[in-house]
Amino acid sequence: MNPIDPSIQIGSVELAVSDLQRSVDFYTQAMGLQPIAQDDRHAILGPSAASPALTLTQIDSPTLPPQRTTGLYHVAWLHPS
């Protein structure tokens, strides 16, 4: 297995969410991301408009996942401190 090149950087992440405003509230209040732009279906968050970190997109008709299933429902950032 080859190691990941340490010079690779992710510019931005997009997540589809079932409740846009709840997700915006979480990422701004708990994670400290700043709102850059928002409309009825999308929100862009990050340190500045030049460096968006996260785009949230509202799912049109969200449904609950089947019981006893797993999946990736989040994003994680490594902070320097």
Side-chain angles (χ1 to χ4, degrees), residues 26-44:
F26 171 78
Y27 284 104
T28 57
Q29 295 170 14
M31 297 299 295
L33 295 176
Q34 299 300 310
I36 295 170
Q38 185 172 348
D39 60 27
D40 291 343
R41 297 199 23 81
H42 303 89
I44 301 172

Side-chain angles (χ1 to χ4, degrees), residues 30-74:
M31 297 299 295
L33 295 176
Q34 299 300 310
I36 295 170
Q38 185 172 348
D39 60 27
D40 291 343
R41 297 199 23 81
H42 303 89
I44 301 172
L45 310 170
S48 70
S51 299
L54 180 64
T55 299
L56 301 171
T57 300
Q58 175 68 46
I59 297 171
D60 288 330
S61 299
T63 59
L64 293 174
Q67 288 187 343
R68 300 182 187 259
T69 60
T70 61
L72 180 62
Y73 300 106
H74 68 279

Side-chain angles (χ1 to χ4, degrees), residues 8-21:
I8 292 176
Q9 294 185 1
I10 295 174
S12 184
V13 174
E14 181 172 352
L15 294 178
V17 298
S18 61
D19 186 327
L20 182 62
Q21 193 56 54

Side-chain angles (χ1 to χ4, degrees), residues 1-8:
M1 174 182 227
N2 294 327
I4 296 174
D5 184 339
S7 67
I8 292 176

